[in-house]
Amino acid sequence: MDMSVGEVAKRAGVTVATLHFYEEKGLIYSSRNQANQRRYDRQILRRIAVIKAAQNVGLTLQEISDELGHLPKHKAPKKKEWEELAQDWHQKLEDKIQSLRALQTQLGSCIQCGCLSLDSCALYNPDDSRGIKQAGAKLSHPES
């Protein structure tokens, strides 16, 4: 049974504008009826649930789109496909946790500095190899 955009929005707990945005980004797909109105298969509700769950985990829409791109466009992930997505997203979440832990560790240097030394600030200018030799976030002239 096909559903209208309003029905999908209500059932999925999102706005119509969100559905249009998801469709524009290639996350979900609709068909058109003879009156040129968007129509969605009921399976779209599960796909939207997966998108919302991934967003709650902290994944970007681009990351979600990349992963959903491997699945059939008009179907929700099956259990096996969901498990594969979840494993990949689990690793991405672990990577983000590690990154946040590193950031948390670097905050100790901020307590001592108080943002008085931007030339050596690991948070303001991370991985800055030039910061060892010169201060500042930008080069005054481009390198050749």
Side-chain angles (χ1 to χ4, degrees):
M1 179 174 126
D2 286 343
M3 300 172 66
S4 71
V5 68
E7 290 172 313
V8 172
K10 184 176 180 181
R11 295 272 313 269
V14 298
T15 66
V16 170
T18 297
L19 294 176
H20 292 172
F21 180 75
Y22 284 173
E23 193 165 351
E24 181 183 312
K25 295 296 182 186
L27 295 166
I28 63 172
Y29 302 90
S30 67
S31 59
R32 300 283 182 151
N33 65 12
Q34 290 180 342
N36 202 30
Q37 297 168 327
R38 283 183 172 92
R39 304 305 291 179
Y40 296 93
D41 185 271
R42 294 177 84 56
Q43 293 280 337
I44 202 70
L45 295 172
R46 291 193 61 217
R47 192 170 177 104
I48 293 168
V50 169
I51 293 167
K52 289 173 61 176
Q55 286 180 300
N56 286 338
V57 167
L59 298 178
T60 67
L61 288 179
Q62 185 60 55
E63 290 170 323
I64 298 166
S65 178
D66 291 346
E67 294 297 325
L68 291 180
H70 301 292
L71 302 176
K73 293 180 179 181
H74 298 284
K75 295 182 182 176
K78 294 180 181 173
K79 184 177 179 180
K80 181 180 179 193
E81 293 166 332
W82 169 248
E83 288 171 356
E84 290 171 3
L85 284 175
Q87 285 178 341
D88 186 47
W89 292 350
H90 181 318
Q91 185 56 51
K92 288 181 181 191
L93 186 56
E94 272 300 318
D95 294 344
K96 287 181 183 201
I97 288 169
Q98 292 302 319
S99 177
L100 287 171
R101 285 192 177 133
L103 181 62
Q104 183 181 38
T105 301
Q106 293 172 347
L107 282 174
S109 64
C110 285
I111 293 169
Q112 297 166 349
C113 171
C115 287
L116 297 176
S117 178
L118 295 179
D119 60 328
S120 64
C121 181
L123 296 177
Y124 176 73
N125 205 359
D127 302 321
D128 180 18
S129 59
R130 291 190 181 101
I132 297 168
K133 297 179 183 177
Q134 62 192 47
K138 297 181 181 177
L139 293 173
S140 57
H141 60 287
E143 285 188 1
S144 303

